[in-house]
Amino acid sequence: MEFMIIGRDGTDAGAFGRRLAVREQHLDCFDTFRKLGFFKYGCAILDDNQQMVGSVIVCEFESRDELEKLWLSNEPYVVGDVWRNIEITQIRSRIPTNV
Protein backbone atom coordinates (compact mmCIF):
# COMPACT_ATOMS: atom_id res chain seq x y z
CA MET A 1 0.00 0.00 0.00
CA GLU A 2 1.25 3.44 -0.86
CA PHE A 3 0.91 6.33 1.55
CA MET A 4 1.52 10.06 1.57
CA ILE A 5 2.59 11.42 4.94
CA ILE A 6 2.27 15.13 5.60
CA GLY A 7 3.99 16.12 8.82
CA ARG A 8 3.48 19.73 9.89
CA ASP A 9 5.82 21.24 12.41
CA GLY A 10 4.66 23.00 15.53
CA THR A 11 4.22 26.76 15.26
CA ASP A 12 5.67 27.66 18.64
CA ALA A 13 8.94 29.61 19.08
CA GLY A 14 11.01 26.45 19.60
CA ALA A 15 9.69 24.54 16.58
CA PHE A 16 12.48 25.33 14.13
CA GLY A 17 15.14 24.64 16.75
CA ARG A 18 13.63 21.19 17.43
CA ARG A 19 13.67 20.47 13.70
CA LEU A 20 17.32 21.42 13.35
CA ALA A 21 18.28 19.44 16.46
CA VAL A 22 17.14 16.12 14.94
CA ARG A 23 17.36 16.91 11.20
CA GLU A 24 20.46 14.78 10.55
CA GLN A 25 18.85 11.84 12.37
CA HIS A 26 15.72 12.32 10.26
CA LEU A 27 17.75 12.35 7.03
CA ASP A 28 19.66 9.22 8.09
CA CYS A 29 16.36 7.50 8.88
CA PHE A 30 14.96 8.59 5.52
CA ASP A 31 17.99 7.23 3.67
CA THR A 32 17.76 3.91 5.51
CA PHE A 33 14.09 3.43 4.64
CA ARG A 34 14.71 4.54 1.04
CA LYS A 35 17.49 1.94 0.65
CA LEU A 36 15.18 -0.71 2.10
CA GLY A 37 12.60 0.17 -0.56
CA PHE A 38 9.95 1.66 1.72
CA PHE A 39 10.36 5.33 0.75
CA LYS A 40 9.87 6.63 -2.78
CA TYR A 41 10.63 10.29 -2.14
CA GLY A 42 10.30 13.10 0.34
CA CYS A 43 10.44 16.86 0.46
CA ALA A 44 10.35 19.75 2.89
CA ILE A 45 7.34 22.05 3.09
CA LEU A 46 8.47 25.69 3.05
CA ASP A 47 6.76 28.82 4.30
CA ASP A 48 6.79 32.16 2.48
CA ASN A 49 10.26 32.87 3.91
CA GLN A 50 11.65 29.57 2.57
CA GLN A 51 11.90 28.16 6.10
CA MET A 52 11.11 24.46 6.58
CA VAL A 53 7.78 24.00 8.38
CA GLY A 54 6.88 20.44 7.52
CA SER A 55 7.57 17.40 5.38
CA VAL A 56 5.95 15.19 2.77
CA ILE A 57 6.96 11.56 2.32
CA VAL A 58 5.61 9.09 -0.21
CA CYS A 59 6.20 5.55 0.95
CA GLU A 60 5.05 1.96 0.55
CA PHE A 61 4.34 -0.48 3.38
CA GLU A 62 2.24 -3.63 3.61
CA SER A 63 -0.25 -1.79 5.80
CA ARG A 64 -0.78 1.38 7.80
CA ASP A 65 -0.04 -0.65 10.93
CA GLU A 66 3.35 -1.67 9.51
CA LEU A 67 4.07 1.97 8.57
CA GLU A 68 3.36 3.09 12.11
CA LYS A 69 5.25 0.26 13.84
CA LEU A 70 8.34 0.06 11.63
CA TRP A 71 8.89 3.71 10.89
CA LEU A 72 6.61 6.36 12.33
CA SER A 73 6.96 5.30 15.97
CA ASN A 74 10.75 5.76 15.62
CA GLU A 75 10.83 8.73 13.24
CA PRO A 76 13.10 11.45 14.74
CA TYR A 77 10.64 14.20 13.83
CA VAL A 78 7.94 12.37 15.80
CA VAL A 79 10.13 11.36 18.75
CA GLY A 80 11.75 14.82 18.76
CA ASP A 81 8.37 16.61 18.88
CA VAL A 82 8.92 18.36 15.54
CA TRP A 83 5.80 17.20 13.71
CA ARG A 84 2.76 18.33 15.66
CA ASN A 85 0.20 17.37 13.02
CA ILE A 86 0.57 14.19 10.96
CA GLU A 87 -1.76 13.28 8.11
CA ILE A 88 -1.53 9.76 6.65
CA THR A 89 -3.36 9.21 3.37
CA GLN A 90 -3.41 6.10 1.21
CA ILE A 91 -2.50 6.98 -2.40
CA ARG A 92 -1.69 5.48 -5.76
CA SER A 93 1.26 7.22 -7.39
CA ARG A 94 2.27 7.21 -11.01
CA ILE A 95 5.89 7.47 -12.04
CA PRO A 96 6.29 8.63 -15.65
CA THR A 97 7.97 5.98 -17.80
CA ASN A 98 9.04 8.28 -20.64
CA VAL A 99 11.53 10.32 -18.63
Side-chain angles (χ1 to χ4, degrees):
M1 300 173 78
E2 288 181 292
F3 298 93
M4 177 178 61
I5 313 306
I6 301 174
R8 298 189 188 279
D9 298 3
T11 57
D12 57 291
F16 191 64
R18 287 192 306 276
R19 172 178 273 270
L20 293 181
V22 296
R23 188 165 192 271
E24 287 305 314
Q25 294 170 4
H26 164 76
L27 295 174
D28 289 345
C29 180
F30 182 91
D31 287 342
T32 297
F33 277 87
R34 184 185 51 77
K35 289 174 186 172
L36 291 171
F38 291 106
F39 287 179
K40 294 186 175 195
Y41 66 90
C43 54
I45 298 171
L46 306 177
D47 67 10
D48 292 339
N49 298 315
Q50 305 300 303
Q51 182 169 310
M52 295 177 287
V53 294
S55 309
V56 174
I57 295 176
V58 173
C59 56
E60 189 166 356
F61 288 87
E62 288 293 320
S63 65
R64 182 178 171 138
D65 188 54
E66 182 184 60
L67 176 152
E68 292 178 2
K69 286 182 181 176
L70 287 181
W71 165 58
L72 203 55
S73 64
N74 298 300
E75 163 58 51
Y77 281 172
V78 173
V79 176
D81 194 31
V82 176
W83 290 343
R84 293 280 177 93
N85 182 300
I86 301 170
E87 179 183 335
I88 302 171
T89 305
Q90 189 174 351
I91 62 166
R92 183 178 304 128
S93 63
R94 180 176 184 277
I95 310 287
T97 57
N98 60 349
V99 179

